Amino acid sequence: MSVLLVDPFSSGSHYHGLLRDRGLTYHCVRTRRALDSGLADGATVPHLAVDDATVDDLGALVQFSREHGVGTVVTGAESGVPVAEALKVELGLASPDFGEHGRRFWDKDLLYSTLRDAGVRVPRRFGVLTAGDVAAGRDRDVLAGIDHPAVTKPDVGAGSVGVRIVDDAAGAADAVRSIVSAAGFFGGTVPAAIVQEYVRGREYVVDTVSHRGRHHVIAVCTYDKHPSSTGAMVYDRIRWLDGDAPDTTRLTAYAGQVLTALDHREGSVHMEVILDDRGPCLIDFGVRPHGAGHPVKTHALTGSSQLHAEVDIAAGAGLPDTPGYILTAPAAIEFRSLDRPGTVRTDARPEELLDRDFVRGGSIAARPGASYPETQSLLDSEALGLVFVDSVDDASLLENAARLRADFAAMVDPA
């Protein structure tokens, strides 16, 4: 049996080495969505069998998979979800019961409505508006009656691009127009704008892997964040939680409800959840590994990751018998960000941020003399750099994070 790897980009780029190390035969697919979004840059992809793929190529992909003995389909990045999920259904690796080739996993409105119908808490929906709705003025009636603050987001997207918190009808109208006025993050069809309840509380991430309908939690993390000048959420850091922490236990149970309601059976899931006084509430969901290299750092802290677990499954090992995970040290990924446009000083050396004694690794993309916009999304932060830090306890971890943030701010001249 072989593995079909769809869009091995972002964290998915690490699958190559893991699959080779296990001696597994694999073939790669690069989708048009990966190219349109910039997740793939056209560079050579090892073991590339099909390029520029779309769901319209499903018949040819099914034939290829059967001819090459594909027994596992792995999704490397968000761009590959539609092709990979449709292919899983055709190959008997995913549930055919919903009859939409896995669309519920990447169409956010369908995702929320599927969970809502199953009795799983999701944000209250105020409306879904298309470019036609806006042109006809139908958005005014919808936006006039919503509660504020509210959230606007594309119905198809990734990386928090286009997601905004709006405080009034005028801000909501502006955010909706921005979403429906151009092709979305993945190119192609112009997205619709979802307008929904703003759920107040702390944001968490639950990363899981499923096999034959059984679910295993790989890691639970929490975000620290702040709003930008436009209302976009800017992420300061993501911190791992202990496997036996109370919040971890509550979120693990909720994640199981989400996965069961969606009838997810195979592969990685990255879900973002708000926890408030009413309990957990799903904010976003991706049927792929956590991005930006996060699983590699999870493996360094726990001895496992979504990537390693999926490769183990492909090799016939299955999921671990023991639930949960053990965290070996308090740790976080610090996202570089700018609260206003700025230019990195020509005499600055941003890469020296990685030399601090509490830094375990990371990547610095910011360059001396280069100018950068105000940070509005995780993709903007990736363009500046991500730094992996740890410490002996949570208090000193946050102290180290503050030092790192101050050091980077001193290297930038605001515009």
Side-chain angles (χ1 to χ4, degrees):
M1 303 292 280
S2 65
V3 175
L4 193 70
L5 179 53
V6 182
D7 281 354
F9 312 114
S10 185
S11 294
S13 64
H14 297 281
Y15 276 120
H16 296 291
L18 296 174
L19 290 165
R20 286 196 301 267
D21 290 346
R22 294 299 292 267
L24 294 172
T25 300
Y26 71 101
H27 318 277
C28 288
V29 173
R30 178 166 55 193
T31 69
R32 185 176 302 168
R33 281 163 54 99
L35 294 164
D36 287 344
S37 65
L39 288 173
D41 58 7
T44 300
V45 176
H47 298 265
L48 184 63
V50 181
D51 202 5
D52 199 29
T54 71
V55 290
D56 293 335
D57 302 316
L58 188 58
L61 289 168
V62 170
Q63 181 177 347
F64 176 91
S65 298
R66 289 174 175 160
E67 290 175 350
H68 291 82
V70 171
T72 302
V73 176
V74 174
T75 309
E78 184 71 28
S79 54
V81 169
V83 166
E85 290 303 314
L87 188 55
K88 286 180 186 178
V89 171
E90 290 297 316
L91 295 177
L93 302 174
S95 170
D97 294 345
F98 288 84
E100 25 77 346
H101 269 166
R103 188 179 182 95
R104 65 193 179 281
F105 294 125
W106 53 273
D107 180 325
K108 296 184 191 304
D109 186 43
L110 184 56
L111 166 75
Y112 294 131
S113 62
T114 302
L115 291 171
R116 191 179 296 113
D117 291 345
V120 178
R121 184 188 174 197
V122 294
R124 182 159 55 103
R125 181 178 63 183
F126 297 125
V128 179
L129 298 166
T130 65
D133 292 328
V134 173
R138 289 188 290 270
D139 59 317
R140 290 192 291 270
D141 290 339
V142 172
L143 298 179
I146 68 176
D147 297 332
H148 291 287
V151 173
T152 60
K153 62 176 63 175
D155 63 341
V156 177
S160 73
V161 174
V163 180
R164 284 174 59 181
I165 298 173
V166 294
D167 293 320
D168 51 38
D174 179 66
V176 168
R177 284 193 295 270
S178 177
I179 291 170
V180 304
S181 62
F185 180 72
F186 295 116
T189 306
V190 174
I194 298 175
V195 187
Q196 63 184 197
E197 168 194 13
Y198 173 57
V199 182
R200 300 176 184 273
R202 175 160 285 279
E203 184 176 351
Y204 296 82
V205 164
V206 185
D207 292 330
T208 65
V209 171
S210 301
H211 180 49
R212 297 178 179 173
R214 179 171 161 247
H215 314 303
H216 183 79
V217 172
I218 296 292
V220 177
C221 300
T222 186
Y223 280 120
D224 298 325
K225 56 187 178 178
H226 68 275
S228 74
S229 65
T230 66
M233 293 313 298
V234 178
Y235 292 88
D236 298 318
R237 70 188 58 83
I238 182 169
R239 295 181 282 121
W240 282 261
L241 299 184
D242 285 327
D244 58 358
D247 286 349
T248 300
T249 301
R250 295 181 70 188
L251 292 162
T252 294
Y254 176 77
Q257 295 173 13
V258 170
L259 295 169
T260 299
L262 293 171
D263 201 3
H264 176 70
R265 300 182 184 179
E266 294 288 338
S268 295
V269 162
H270 168 73
M271 65 180 81
E272 297 174 1
V273 181
I274 294 289
L275 188 59
D276 63 10
D277 56 4
R278 293 177 53 198
C281 182
L282 185 75
I283 300 302
D284 209 353
F285 185 95
V287 191
R288 41 78 179 175
H290 197 141
H294 186 278
V296 176
K297 299 168 182 65
T298 294
H299 182 261
L301 295 168
T302 69
S304 186
S305 78
Q306 291 171 301
L307 310 180
H308 292 77
E310 286 217 63
V311 172
D312 287 345
I313 290 168
L319 286 173
D321 294 327
T322 305
Y325 61 93
I326 298 174
L327 187 66
T328 59
I333 297 175
E334 287 290 315
F335 302 105
R336 302 300 89 218
S337 64
L338 296 175
D339 289 334
R340 65 182 70 180
T343 301
V344 180
R345 295 200 331 264
T346 55
D347 62 342
R349 297 293 179 264
E351 67 278 5
E352 291 180 356
L353 294 172
L354 301 179
D355 296 334
R356 307 298 189 265
D357 57 2
F358 53 83
V359 171
R360 294 185 63 158
S363 60
I364 298 297
R367 294 291 176 261
S371 296
Y372 298 92
E374 177 186 354
T375 303
Q376 301 285 347
S377 70
L378 285 175
L379 298 180
D380 289 341
S381 286
E382 288 182 28
L384 296 170
L386 311 177
V387 184
F388 181 31
V389 301
D390 68 359
S391 192
V392 294
D393 56 43
D394 290 334
S396 57
L397 179 70
L398 293 178
E399 289 176 4
N400 291 339
R403 286 173 53 195
L404 201 65
R405 187 164 296 275
D407 289 346
F408 180 66
M411 299 180 183
V412 180
D413 291 327

